[in-house]
Amino acid sequence: HVQLVESGGGSVYNGGSPRLSCEASGYTSRNYCWAWYRQFPGKERERVATIESDGRTSHDDSVKGRFTITQDNAKNTVYLQMNSLKPEDTAMYYCAVRTGGCSNRVLDYNYWGQGTQVTVS
């Protein structure tokens, strides 16, 4: 049974720097892609960042230079360091994982967390 649990969201001041965490249990694949997505009210989920099993990362242009995805394999945890937050970053943030290479399609990710709300004001 695979479970992903996000944490670290909440209310943040404009310009703040929270770190989101996604702790995984039960996921054992060595060939994977972790992703952080976010969803604005009434909109589709959009990919924010990915990290692959070989360590390669990718960040969407909207967050490049402000957000950083990292992983701690020993803790089975993926992080999203968010710096210089803006009100337009307010969204529900989700982590997801798939076996194999990264994809930009939501349906390609096998497992999802429950989401953590980030509100910037």
Side-chain angles (χ1 to χ4, degrees), residues 20-121:
L20 305 183
S21 299
C22 174
E23 184 174 358
S25 58
Y27 188 75
T28 59
S29 176
R30 294 185 177 184
N31 178 24
Y32 55 79
C33 174
W34 284 97
W36 283 99
Y37 275 76
R38 63 184 178 183
Q39 187 168 23
F40 303 110
K43 301 290 187 181
E44 299 288 323
R45 291 184 188 184
E46 61 179 46
R47 199 178 71 179
V48 173
T50 60
I51 186 165
E52 297 185 73
S53 47
D54 62 3
R56 285 182 296 171
T57 62
S58 175
H59 298 80
D60 186 79
D61 286 346
S62 64
V63 304
K64 198 170 292 183
R66 298 190 300 124
F67 293 9
T68 303
I69 186 171
T70 59
Q71 61 182 344
D72 184 334
N73 291 330
K75 296 182 178 180
N76 292 324
T77 301
V78 176
Y79 303 98
L80 186 67
Q81 178 65 50
M82 309 165 72
N83 296 328
S84 303
L85 277 182
K86 309 172 184 179
E88 51 263 42
D89 294 315
T90 294
M92 183 72 81
Y93 286 75
Y94 297 89
C95 66
V97 67
R98 72 181 303 269
T99 299
C102 292
S103 169
N104 58 8
R105 299 200 322 156
V106 170
L107 292 178
D108 285 343
Y109 287 84
N110 307 105
Y111 303 101
W112 290 83
Q114 80 287 354
T116 185
Q117 176 69 36
V118 175
T119 302
V120 186
S121 61

